[in-house]
Amino acid sequence: MLTKTNIKTSSKEIYDLVKHLPEGKNILNEPTGKFFYDPWQLKSEWQDTALDDLLKQIPDHGEVRVIVLKPGESYFAHADIDDRYHLTLDAEQSYLIDIENEKMYPTIPDDTVYLMNTGVLHTASNYGYKNRYQLVIRKRLDSTNELYESVTVIMNVKDPVYNLRYLFDSSFSRLFNRLEKEECIANFDRINETTIKFSLEKDNINELLKMQQMCGFKIETLYG
């Protein structure tokens, strides 16, 4: 799930820049176009800093966040369509956890960027005594994916259930991450909280229909 890259920086230098940020998810840049595909621009206060220098080493970076996780907190199990780069800035007894394969990865400030396969169900947990500061960088989806025989798909959730995000990630997010890597999906767009639109290889429609039957919530799907 977590792979070490050759990208290095100073965890402490970036931590010193962001240690004043509040608990939760802090976005440090802004989109210039399509959320998942186009470059992002650092906000002015972070330009010409060690963070700026780091991002120049990651040409396919998208949204950049500093996630501050309180002691004793964890996230619910989830997956994502886009993989993430991770750099631990400050932490003690905190982990990224591969739930599917029951493996824990300690997150320590070792000046190293890791690439995370977010297509597996995972979570983050802080078992330490202080806040965990994690730099999390979206890896942009591949805008060059060329589908041979594509179908436009619009999926709209009907009567959203209370645990919709959990159910969606346990089913469709895992599927979409794999299809992205297999170059079978393109033009992914989140229209609103309950609607997404994308292009899909025609041969993968049955796989999508099967997931729709298993996902645990109601979806209206339009094909064009």
Side-chain angles (χ1 to χ4, degrees), residues 31-64:
T32 64
K34 295 179 180 179
F35 183 94
F36 290 101
Y37 295 94
D38 290 334
W40 286 59
Q41 178 69 43
L42 266 181
K43 296 178 181 178
S44 58
E45 60 264 39
W46 309 112
Q47 294 177 11
D48 301 317
T49 65
L51 177 61
D52 199 355
D53 292 339
L54 170 61
L55 293 179
K56 291 174 182 176
Q57 299 184 67
I58 310 174
D60 59 353
H61 76 267
E63 182 188 52
V64 177

Side-chain angles (χ1 to χ4, degrees), residues 29-143:
N29 58 354
E30 298 171 325
T32 64
K34 295 179 180 179
F35 183 94
F36 290 101
Y37 295 94
D38 290 334
W40 286 59
Q41 178 69 43
L42 266 181
K43 296 178 181 178
S44 58
E45 60 264 39
W46 309 112
Q47 294 177 11
D48 301 317
T49 65
L51 177 61
D52 199 355
D53 292 339
L54 170 61
L55 293 179
K56 291 174 182 176
Q57 299 184 67
I58 310 174
D60 59 353
H61 76 267
E63 182 188 52
V64 177
R65 295 175 293 173
V66 171
I67 301 180
V68 184
L69 188 64
K70 294 192 300 183
E73 283 197 345
S74 298
Y75 296 126
F76 62 81
H78 65 283
D80 306 283
I81 184 176
D82 49 351
D83 288 346
R84 311 287 165 89
Y85 294 99
H86 276 256
L87 174 71
T88 302
L89 306 178
D90 191 47
E92 195 273 337
Q93 291 294 334
S94 71
Y95 297 84
L96 291 169
I97 303 172
D98 179 345
I99 295 174
E100 290 185 36
N101 297 296
E102 300 181 348
K103 185 172 182 179
M104 298 175 67
Y105 296 84
T107 52
I108 57 176
D110 61 356
D111 300 335
T112 302
V113 175
Y114 294 80
L115 180 59
M116 181 176 176
N117 172 16
T118 63
V120 298
L121 283 178
H122 61 276
T123 187
S125 297
N126 182 1
Y127 304 121
Y129 67 91
K130 61 182 179 180
N131 285 345
R132 182 205 72 158
Y133 286 75
Q134 192 85 352
L135 186 68
V136 181
I137 303 169
R138 290 181 186 266
K139 184 178 186 290
R140 296 204 308 269
L141 300 184
D142 189 352
S143 61

